[in-house]
Amino acid sequence: MKKMILSLAITAVFLAFPIVTHAEEMLEKDYITAEIWEEIWLGKSDDGTEFPESSYKHHLLEKWVDENYGDDNYDWTAIGELKYSYRNYYKNLTENWDFNDDNGIWTIETEDNFYSFQLVNNQWNMLDENGSTIDIFPIFSTIEEEKIERPINDNGNSSPRVIGDVTRTETSFDSIADSDNEFTSVTIENVLERSESSSLPFVIGGLAIVVSGTAFVIYKKRK
């Protein structure tokens, strides 16, 4: 009887692992994009029509997510690891790029080419040094509006409700990418540990089912 109970317990543990695997589903593309963008962009606030910078860099992020989504080289269940991976990708991509912002005329100079941007029909055209269009992407606004309401004082002295626009501090995307505020392997390990701990209830549930079944079998035999 003891051997049977031990065998059932071991089987339950192995059966629990597929349940854990299926429980951790891939994150949604839009969620991934929004979370990474929130982490890396602290630049100018504009509606996307004045400067091409935010529109182009958001376009790069969306393109990276679309082209790599589901790739086994990345863990699509851990947003912390994805942020870390994209930071490395962007840093390597733009390592030899020279960004220039001359009175709103934003350009990129590389070792092999020179790129400028032109707004046409609410879309940005990326042009090479020969004037040929090499990429087209939509405008992306970074203006953030948040309504802040202060509660009315009930003691007879009315306080006005204040509604204001909240904008973010201007900090360049590239200074963020080059700063010391990078994800480390320790951060990733912490994320993975939290992910693993979230699957513990499934394992406990599987063991509980086996224990209950075993107790029922023993009860029936004694009866």
Side-chain angles (χ1 to χ4, degrees):
M1 179 60 68
K2 290 182 178 179
K3 290 183 177 180
M4 183 185 72
I5 295 174
L6 179 61
S7 177
L8 289 173
I10 294 174
T11 302
V13 172
F14 279 103
L15 289 176
F17 283 107
I19 297 175
V20 171
T21 302
H22 290 298
E24 297 180 352
E25 296 180 355
M26 290 173 57
L27 301 172
E28 295 287 340
K29 281 185 179 181
D30 290 344
Y31 171 76
I32 295 170
T33 302
E35 286 294 309
I36 295 178
W37 182 255
E38 180 71 17
E39 181 72 24
I40 62 178
W41 177 260
L42 293 171
K44 304 183 189 73
S45 293
D46 70 274
D47 63 0
T49 62
E50 186 174 0
F51 304 99
E53 181 182 6
S54 61
S55 300
Y56 179 60
K57 290 176 177 177
H58 192 269
H59 169 62
L60 284 178
L61 172 57
E62 288 184 315
K63 188 176 180 181
W64 180 82
V65 173
D66 287 339
E67 291 181 350
N68 294 282
Y69 191 67
D71 193 310
D72 292 338
N73 290 323
Y74 306 99
D75 184 355
W76 298 97
T77 67
I79 190 62
E81 184 173 343
L82 292 172
K83 289 178 180 180
Y84 178 81
S85 298
Y86 185 74
R87 277 179 176 273
N88 281 342
Y89 163 78
Y90 179 82
K91 187 174 182 179
N92 292 333
L93 177 69
T94 63
E95 185 175 8
N96 297 316
W97 290 14
D98 185 11
F99 295 97
N100 300 299
D101 188 355
D102 184 12
N103 295 325
I105 302 176
W106 195 71
T107 59
I108 299 174
E109 187 173 356
T110 70
E111 184 178 349
D112 301 322
N113 217 317
F114 177 84
Y115 303 100
S116 59
F117 299 84
Q118 185 177 43
L119 185 64
V120 179
N121 296 327
N122 283 331
Q123 291 193 109
W124 285 103
N125 288 6
M126 184 176 184
L127 312 175
D128 64 12
E129 59 185 3
N130 298 318
S132 301
T133 301
I134 63 167
D135 203 352
I136 299 176
F137 48 92
I139 59 174
F140 181 79
S141 175
T142 54
I143 296 177
E144 295 184 278
E145 295 183 357
E146 182 179 341
K147 294 182 179 180
I148 304 175
E149 294 190 2
R150 296 178 181 174
I152 296 178
N153 195 341
D154 292 332
N155 62 7
N157 299 322
S158 61
S159 300
R161 294 187 177 183
V162 179
I163 300 177
D165 294 341
V166 177
T167 57
R168 305 179 69 172
T169 305
E170 289 192 9
T171 309
S172 74
F173 178 103
D174 308 292
S175 65
I176 293 296
D178 294 335
S179 71
D180 293 332
N181 186 26
E182 299 238 2
F183 288 92
T184 64
S185 58
V186 176
T187 304
I188 297 176
E189 288 173 3
N190 290 337
V191 172
L192 295 178
E193 285 174 3
R194 288 196 297 271
S195 176
E196 290 172 0
S197 64
S198 66
S199 63
L200 184 59
F202 292 98
V203 177
I204 295 175
L207 290 175
I209 293 173
V210 171
V211 172
S212 298
T214 303
F216 178 75
V217 171
I218 294 174
Y219 172 77
K220 293 290 289 182
K221 283 183 174 289
R222 288 182 177 178
K223 189 174 179 181

